[in-house]
PDB file of all heavy atoms in Angstrom:
ATOM      1  N   LEU A 323     123.280 112.923  86.727  1.00 98.00           N
ATOM      2  CA  LEU A 323     123.672 113.588  85.479  1.00 98.00           C
ATOM      3  C   LEU A 323     123.248 112.774  84.269  1.00 98.00           C
ATOM      4  O   LEU A 323     122.886 111.595  84.374  1.00 98.00           O
ATOM      5  CB  LEU A 323     125.189 113.803  85.454  1.00 98.00           C
ATOM      6  CG  LEU A 323     125.791 114.617  86.607  1.00 98.00           C
ATOM      7  CD1 LEU A 323     127.307 114.678  86.473  1.00 98.00           C
ATOM      8  CD2 LEU A 323     125.192 116.015  86.658  1.00 98.00           C
ATOM      9  N   SER A 324     123.318 113.432  83.117  1.00 98.00           N
ATOM     10  CA  SER A 324     122.966 112.819  81.847  1.00 98.00           C
ATOM     11  C   SER A 324     124.063 113.139  80.845  1.00 98.00           C
ATOM     12  O   SER A 324     124.926 113.996  81.084  1.00 98.00           O
ATOM     13  CB  SER A 324     121.607 113.373  81.372  1.00 98.00           C
ATOM     14  OG  SER A 324     121.322 112.985  80.045  1.00 98.00           O
ATOM     15  N   TYR A 325     124.041 112.466  79.696  1.00 98.00           N
ATOM     16  CA  TYR A 325     124.965 112.799  78.609  1.00 98.00           C
ATOM     17  C   TYR A 325     124.425 113.919  77.726  1.00 98.00           C
ATOM     18  O   TYR A 325     125.061 114.295  76.750  1.00 98.00           O
ATOM     19  CB  TYR A 325     125.228 111.568  77.741  1.00 98.00           C
ATOM     20  CG  TYR A 325     125.949 110.438  78.444  1.00 98.00           C
ATOM     21  CD1 TYR A 325     125.759 109.119  78.038  1.00 98.00           C
ATOM     22  CD2 TYR A 325     126.830 110.677  79.504  1.00 98.00           C
ATOM     23  CE1 TYR A 325     126.418 108.072  78.666  1.00 98.00           C
ATOM     24  CE2 TYR A 325     127.481 109.639  80.144  1.00 98.00           C
ATOM     25  CZ  TYR A 325     127.279 108.336  79.719  1.00 98.00           C
ATOM     26  OH  TYR A 325     127.931 107.296  80.342  1.00 98.00           O
ATOM     27  N   THR A 326     123.247 114.417  78.067  1.00 98.00           N
ATOM     28  CA  THR A 326     122.687 115.559  77.364  1.00 98.00           C
ATOM     29  C   THR A 326     122.319 116.627  78.377  1.00 98.00           C
ATOM     30  O   THR A 326     122.567 116.458  79.587  1.00 98.00           O
ATOM     31  CB  THR A 326     121.466 115.145  76.513  1.00 98.00           C
ATOM     32  OG1 THR A 326     121.094 116.232  75.659  1.00 98.00           O
ATOM     33  CG2 THR A 326     120.287 114.748  77.383  1.00 98.00           C
ATOM     34  N   GLU A 327     121.746 117.737  77.931  1.00 98.00           N
ATOM     35  CA  GLU A 327     121.361 118.826  78.831  1.00 98.00           C
ATOM     36  C   GLU A 327     119.865 119.075  78.700  1.00 98.00           C
ATOM     37  O   GLU A 327     119.278 118.916  77.630  1.00 98.00           O
ATOM     38  CB  GLU A 327     122.119 120.126  78.496  1.00 98.00           C
ATOM     39  CG  GLU A 327     123.598 120.088  78.792  1.00 98.00           C
ATOM     40  CD  GLU A 327     124.382 119.353  77.712  1.00 98.00           C
ATOM     41  OE1 GLU A 327     124.063 119.545  76.516  1.00 98.00           O
ATOM     42  OE2 GLU A 327     125.286 118.585  78.059  1.00 98.00           O
ATOM     43  N   PHE A 328     119.279 119.486  79.814  1.00 98.00           N
ATOM     44  CA  PHE A 328     117.859 119.805  79.844  1.00 98.00           C
ATOM     45  C   PHE A 328     117.642 121.179  80.457  1.00 98.00           C
ATOM     46  O   PHE A 328     118.404 121.620  81.325  1.00 98.00           O
ATOM     47  CB  PHE A 328     117.086 118.779  80.681  1.00 98.00           C
ATOM     48  CG  PHE A 328     117.121 117.376  80.144  1.00 98.00           C
ATOM     49  CD1 PHE A 328     118.068 116.471  80.614  1.00 98.00           C
ATOM     50  CD2 PHE A 328     116.217 116.970  79.186  1.00 98.00           C
ATOM     51  CE1 PHE A 328     118.108 115.178  80.131  1.00 98.00           C
ATOM     52  CE2 PHE A 328     116.250 115.666  78.693  1.00 98.00           C
ATOM     53  CZ  PHE A 328     117.196 114.772  79.163  1.00 98.00           C
ATOM     54  N   VAL A 329     116.576 121.834  80.010  1.00 97.00           N
ATOM     55  CA  VAL A 329     116.094 123.050  80.648  1.00 97.00           C
ATOM     56  C   VAL A 329     114.712 122.744  81.201  1.00 97.00           C
ATOM     57  O   VAL A 329     113.842 122.232  80.484  1.00 97.00           O
ATOM     58  CB  VAL A 329     116.027 124.229  79.659  1.00 97.00           C
ATOM     59  CG1 VAL A 329     115.305 125.416  80.295  1.00 97.00           C
ATOM     60  CG2 VAL A 329     117.422 124.642  79.224  1.00 97.00           C
ATOM     61  N   THR A 330     114.545 123.028  82.483  1.00 96.00           N
ATOM     62  CA  THR A 330     113.270 122.771  83.156  1.00 96.00           C
ATOM     63  C   THR A 330     112.669 124.100  83.582  1.00 96.00           C
ATOM     64  O   THR A 330     113.309 124.872  84.312  1.00 96.00           O
ATOM     65  CB  THR A 330     113.487 121.873  84.389  1.00 96.00           C
ATOM     66  OG1 THR A 330     114.073 120.638  83.974  1.00 96.00           O
ATOM     67  CG2 THR A 330     112.184 121.579  85.096  1.00 96.00           C
ATOM     68  N   GLU A 331     111.457 124.382  83.127  1.00 96.00           N
ATOM     69  CA  GLU A 331     110.793 125.641  83.438  1.00 96.00           C
ATOM     70  C   GLU A 331     109.401 125.385  83.988  1.00 96.00           C
ATOM     71  O   GLU A 331     108.652 124.565  83.449  1.00 96.00           O
ATOM     72  CB  GLU A 331     110.673 126.513  82.175  1.00 96.00           C
ATOM     73  CG  GLU A 331     112.001 126.955  81.575  1.00 96.00           C
ATOM     74  CD  GLU A 331     112.739 127.975  82.425  1.00 96.00           C
ATOM     75  OE1 GLU A 331     112.130 128.499  83.395  1.00 96.00           O
ATOM     76  OE2 GLU A 331     113.904 128.250  82.122  1.00 96.00           O
ATOM     77  N   CYS A 332     109.075 126.089  85.068  1.00 96.00           N
ATOM     78  CA  CYS A 332     107.715 126.028  85.603  1.00 96.00           C
ATOM     79  C   CYS A 332     106.783 126.758  84.641  1.00 96.00           C
ATOM     80  O   CYS A 332     107.122 127.840  84.135  1.00 96.00           O
ATOM     81  CB  CYS A 332     107.658 126.676  86.977  1.00 96.00           C
ATOM     82  SG  CYS A 332     108.827 125.962  88.157  1.00 96.00           S
ATOM     83  N   SER A 333     105.610 126.177  84.372  1.00 94.00           N
ATOM     84  CA  SER A 333     104.707 126.789  83.397  1.00 94.00           C
ATOM     85  C   SER A 333     103.311 127.049  83.947  1.00 94.00           C
ATOM     86  O   SER A 333     102.435 127.486  83.215  1.00 94.00           O
ATOM     87  CB  SER A 333     104.622 125.900  82.144  1.00 94.00           C
ATOM     88  OG  SER A 333     104.265 124.570  82.461  1.00 94.00           O
ATOM     89  N   GLY A 334     103.098 126.783  85.221  1.00 95.00           N
ATOM     90  CA  GLY A 334     101.799 127.091  85.789  1.00 95.00           C
ATOM     91  C   GLY A 334     101.486 126.243  87.003  1.00 95.00           C
ATOM     92  O   GLY A 334     102.052 125.168  87.193  1.00 95.00           O
ATOM     93  N   ALA A 335     100.571 126.747  87.811  1.00 97.00           N
ATOM     94  CA  ALA A 335     100.091 126.013  88.977  1.00 97.00           C
ATOM     95  C   ALA A 335      98.716 126.547  89.329  1.00 97.00           C
ATOM     96  O   ALA A 335      98.457 127.751  89.222  1.00 97.00           O
ATOM     97  CB  ALA A 335     101.038 126.170  90.158  1.00 97.00           C
ATOM     98  N   GLU A 336      97.817 125.650  89.721  1.00 96.00           N
ATOM     99  CA  GLU A 336      96.478 126.090  90.093  1.00 96.00           C
ATOM    100  C   GLU A 336      95.854 125.132  91.102  1.00 96.00           C
ATOM    101  O   GLU A 336      96.272 123.984  91.243  1.00 96.00           O
ATOM    102  CB  GLU A 336      95.588 126.218  88.865  1.00 96.00           C
ATOM    103  CG  GLU A 336      95.421 124.949  88.070  1.00 96.00           C
ATOM    104  CD  GLU A 336      94.540 125.167  86.843  1.00 96.00           C
ATOM    105  OE1 GLU A 336      93.547 125.913  86.959  1.00 96.00           O
ATOM    106  OE2 GLU A 336      94.848 124.616  85.779  1.00 96.00           O
ATOM    107  N   LYS A 337      94.854 125.658  91.768  1.00 96.00           N
ATOM    108  CA  LYS A 337      94.153 124.904  92.787  1.00 96.00           C
ATOM    109  C   LYS A 337      93.114 124.010  92.123  1.00 96.00           C
ATOM    110  O   LYS A 337      92.355 124.445  91.264  1.00 96.00           O
ATOM    111  CB  LYS A 337      93.499 125.892  93.756  1.00 96.00           C
ATOM    112  CG  LYS A 337      92.866 125.296  94.967  1.00 96.00           C
ATOM    113  CD  LYS A 337      92.575 126.361  96.020  1.00 96.00           C
ATOM    114  CE  LYS A 337      91.774 127.536  95.510  1.00 96.00           C
ATOM    115  NZ  LYS A 337      91.395 128.469  96.575  1.00 96.00           N
ATOM    116  N   LYS A 338      93.118 122.734  92.519  1.00 95.00           N
ATOM    117  CA  LYS A 338      92.144 121.778  92.038  1.00 95.00           C
ATOM    118  C   LYS A 338      91.399 121.173  93.227  1.00 95.00           C
ATOM    119  O   LYS A 338      91.755 121.399  94.383  1.00 95.00           O
ATOM    120  CB  LYS A 338      92.827 120.651  91.244  1.00 95.00           C
ATOM    121  CG  LYS A 338      93.539 121.120  89.982  1.00 95.00           C
ATOM    122  CD  LYS A 338      92.547 121.448  88.885  1.00 95.00           C
ATOM    123  CE  LYS A 338      93.255 121.710  87.563  1.00 95.00           C
ATOM    124  NZ  LYS A 338      92.318 121.990  86.458  1.00 95.00           N
ATOM    125  N   ARG A 339      90.396 120.359  92.926  1.00 94.00           N
ATOM    126  CA  ARG A 339      89.612 119.749  93.999  1.00 94.00           C
ATOM    127  C   ARG A 339      90.478 118.879  94.897  1.00 94.00           C
ATOM    128  O   ARG A 339      90.328 118.880  96.117  1.00 94.00           O
ATOM    129  CB  ARG A 339      88.492 118.914  93.386  1.00 94.00           C
ATOM    130  CG  ARG A 339      87.576 118.234  94.390  1.00 94.00           C
ATOM    131  CD  ARG A 339      86.338 117.692  93.696  1.00 94.00           C
ATOM    132  NE  ARG A 339      85.503 116.932  94.612  1.00 94.00           N
ATOM    133  CZ  ARG A 339      85.512 115.618  94.715  1.00 94.00           C
ATOM    134  NH1 ARG A 339      86.346 114.902  93.960  1.00 94.00           N
ATOM    135  NH2 ARG A 339      84.714 114.997  95.550  1.00 94.00           N
ATOM    136  N   GLU A 340      91.425 118.135  94.283  1.00 95.00           N
ATOM    137  CA  GLU A 340      92.226 117.186  95.044  1.00 95.00           C
ATOM    138  C   GLU A 340      93.444 117.802  95.710  1.00 95.00           C
ATOM    139  O   GLU A 340      94.030 117.205  96.604  1.00 95.00           O
ATOM    140  CB  GLU A 340      92.702 116.049  94.138  1.00 95.00           C
ATOM    141  CG  GLU A 340      91.605 115.318  93.405  1.00 95.00           C
ATOM    142  CD  GLU A 340      91.338 115.908  92.028  1.00 95.00           C
ATOM    143  OE1 GLU A 340      91.588 117.113  91.841  1.00 95.00           O
ATOM    144  OE2 GLU A 340      90.885 115.162  91.153  1.00 95.00           O
ATOM    145  N   GLY A 341      93.870 118.980  95.227  1.00 97.00           N
ATOM    146  CA  GLY A 341      95.089 119.589  95.737  1.00 97.00           C
ATOM    147  C   GLY A 341      95.581 120.666  94.791  1.00 97.00           C
ATOM    148  O   GLY A 341      94.776 121.360  94.154  1.00 97.00           O
ATOM    149  N   ILE A 342      96.881 120.775  94.664  1.00 97.00           N
ATOM    150  CA  ILE A 342      97.475 121.799  93.807  1.00 97.00           C
ATOM    151  C   ILE A 342      98.173 121.122  92.637  1.00 97.00           C
ATOM    152  O   ILE A 342      99.025 120.253  92.821  1.00 97.00           O
ATOM    153  CB  ILE A 342      98.460 122.671  94.596  1.00 97.00           C
ATOM    154  CG1 ILE A 342      97.699 123.436  95.683  1.00 97.00           C
ATOM    155  CG2 ILE A 342      99.196 123.641  93.678  1.00 97.00           C
ATOM    156  CD1 ILE A 342      98.566 124.232  96.605  1.00 97.00           C
ATOM    157  N   GLU A 343      97.792 121.540  91.451  1.00 98.00           N
ATOM    158  CA  GLU A 343      98.362 120.996  90.217  1.00 98.00           C
ATOM    159  C   GLU A 343      99.482 121.918  89.744  1.00 98.00           C
ATOM    160  O   GLU A 343      99.310 123.130  89.662  1.00 98.00           O
ATOM    161  CB  GLU A 343      97.277 120.895  89.155  1.00 98.00           C
ATOM    162  CG  GLU A 343      97.748 120.298  87.840  1.00 98.00           C
ATOM    163  CD  GLU A 343      96.633 120.260  86.814  1.00 98.00           C
ATOM    164  OE1 GLU A 343      95.905 119.248  86.792  1.00 98.00           O
ATOM    165  OE2 GLU A 343      96.480 121.254  86.068  1.00 98.00           O
ATOM    166  N   VAL A 344     100.627 121.315  89.439  1.00 98.00           N
ATOM    167  CA  VAL A 344     101.803 122.069  88.992  1.00 98.00           C
ATOM    168  C   VAL A 344     102.213 121.563  87.615  1.00 98.00           C
ATOM    169  O   VAL A 344     102.287 120.348  87.389  1.00 98.00           O
ATOM    170  CB  VAL A 344     102.978 121.911  89.980  1.00 98.00           C
ATOM    171  CG1 VAL A 344     104.200 122.688  89.489  1.00 98.00           C
ATOM    172  CG2 VAL A 344     102.579 122.377  91.376  1.00 98.00           C
ATOM    173  N   ASN A 345     102.471 122.484  86.705  1.00 97.00           N
ATOM    174  CA  ASN A 345     102.889 122.135  85.349  1.00 97.00           C
ATOM    175  C   ASN A 345     104.320 122.587  85.108  1.00 97.00           C
ATOM    176  O   ASN A 345     104.693 123.710  85.463  1.00 97.00           O
ATOM    177  CB  ASN A 345     101.960 122.773  84.324  1.00 97.00           C
ATOM    178  CG  ASN A 345     100.559 122.207  84.388  1.00 97.00           C
ATOM    179  OD1 ASN A 345     100.323 121.081  83.964  1.00 97.00           O
ATOM    180  ND2 ASN A 345      99.626 122.964  84.949  1.00 97.00           N
ATOM    181  N   VAL A 346     105.104 121.704  84.520  1.00 98.00           N
ATOM    182  CA  VAL A 346     106.525 121.964  84.266  1.00 98.00           C
ATOM    183  C   VAL A 346     106.839 121.554  82.829  1.00 98.00           C
ATOM    184  O   VAL A 346     106.394 120.499  82.360  1.00 98.00           O
ATOM    185  CB  VAL A 346     107.422 121.179  85.242  1.00 98.00           C
ATOM    186  CG1 VAL A 346     108.894 121.454  84.960  1.00 98.00           C
ATOM    187  CG2 VAL A 346     107.088 121.549  86.687  1.00 98.00           C
ATOM    188  N   CYS A 347     107.593 122.390  82.149  1.00 97.00           N
ATOM    189  CA  CYS A 347     108.038 122.087  80.788  1.00 97.00           C
ATOM    190  C   CYS A 347     109.507 121.669  80.823  1.00 97.00           C
ATOM    191  O   CYS A 347     110.338 122.350  81.422  1.00 97.00           O
ATOM    192  CB  CYS A 347     107.860 123.304  79.886  1.00 97.00           C
ATOM    193  SG  CYS A 347     108.438 123.048  78.193  1.00 97.00           S
TER     194      CYS A 347
END
Side-chain angles (χ1 to χ4, degrees):
L323 302 177
S324 170
Y325 295 152
T326 190
E327 291 79 41
F328 297 95
V329 171
T330 301
E331 296 290 350
C332 304
S333 54
E336 59 181 321
K337 187 165 53 174
K338 297 285 189 178
R339 181 168 175 262
E340 305 92 333
I342 296 175
E343 182 182 271
V344 179
N345 294 287
V346 180
C347 178

